[in-house]
Amino acid sequence: MTKVAVVFAPGCEEVEGLTIVDVLRRMGVEVTMVGLEGQVVPGAHQIELTCDTVLDDHLLDYDLVAFPGGRGGAQKLSANKQLADLMRQRNVAGKWNAAMCAAPTALATYGLLDHCDYTCFPGFEKKIAQLATDAHFKEDITVVDEGGKVVTSRGPATAMAFAFRIAEVLGLDTKQIKHEMLYDYLMEQK
């Protein structure tokens, strides 16, 4: 069974993390909510999130680890040495990692965006340019870098597209779930 971990740090964008959890669980993916500093995580908008577990070495066991954004959450993700070490080990093992909004700055801090295509919340590409070697910013809603095994996205409104893209890189067919959640209808309304 496909396993995904979503790491929640204090100050995270709640909708970004919970959208990943919701969409993937609807698809039958085993998704674990991981608290960076404890099991109860205060989000950026005063929503308390109760996680399934706290950060430990089991992060190495997941097919993909995703980070929601939020400036405060991204700063906490970037500064956590245990998380940085685990994410680098995941990268060396060729496992997928994903981040959206401000959280790609954490991946850049760990060296995981070097020579990769990525996207992020507008303005954060300037910080990433200082942290990552030869990273290429794109304005797309989601960006997949196959070589670096990284998926990135822009911000709260792109969370559903991000969740679907995560499912797709894990080899799952998203056609039915997009229809069930009216995402296909939304995309036709452009």
Side-chain angles (χ1 to χ4, degrees):
M1 174 183 264
T2 303
K3 291 173 38 174
V4 171
V6 181
V7 181
F8 290 87
C12 66
E13 280 282 354
E14 301 95 337
V15 70
E16 293 174 359
L18 291 176
T19 300
I20 300 164
V21 174
D22 181 276
V23 168
L24 295 179
R25 284 185 180 173
R26 287 175 192 243
M27 296 185 73
V29 174
E30 182 181 326
V31 182
T32 304
M33 294 172 60
V34 178
L36 182 68
E37 298 177 356
Q39 208 159 349
V40 177
V41 179
H45 303 98
Q46 295 75 51
I47 300 171
E48 279 194 354
L49 304 163
T50 303
C51 294
D52 303 307
T53 189
V54 294
L55 180 68
D56 64 19
D57 289 352
H58 286 101
L59 209 63
L60 299 172
D61 300 334
Y62 292 91
D63 298 299
L64 184 142
V65 171
F67 294 166
R71 182 183 305 269
Q75 289 170 344
K76 296 264 187 188
L77 294 168
S78 295
N80 189 292
K81 295 194 183 320
Q82 179 187 13
L83 180 60
D85 180 56
L86 291 168
M87 295 301 285
R88 288 182 187 117
Q89 288 180 58
R90 289 182 51 74
N91 181 259
V92 168
K95 297 203 173 200
W96 282 99
N97 297 303
M100 69 177 305
C101 192
T105 59
L107 296 182
T109 299
Y110 312 152
L112 303 189
L113 287 186
D114 291 353
H115 313 290
C116 289
D117 291 337
Y118 75 96
T119 195
C120 60
F121 193 82
F124 281 90
E125 70 275 10
K126 294 174 185 132
K127 180 170 184 172
I128 290 170
Q130 297 170 349
L131 297 168
T133 302
D134 195 34
H136 305 101
F137 173 72
K138 308 287 184 189
E139 290 190 358
D140 299 345
I141 291 172
T142 61
V143 173
V144 175
D145 189 284
E146 295 281 343
K149 293 244 178 166
V150 174
V151 183
T152 52
S153 190
R154 304 293 313 259
T158 68
M160 195 165 286
F162 184 54
F164 292 135
R165 189 59 91 108
I166 286 170
E168 291 162 0
V169 301
L170 293 172
L172 302 170
D173 183 354
T174 59
K175 184 177 180 183
Q176 183 65 32
I177 193 71
K178 285 178 178 177
H179 181 70
E180 290 171 1
M181 296 184 77
L182 299 182
Y183 186 78
D184 53 356
Y185 171 79
L186 177 67
M187 291 297 98
E188 291 171 5
Q189 301 306 307
K190 290 183 185 180

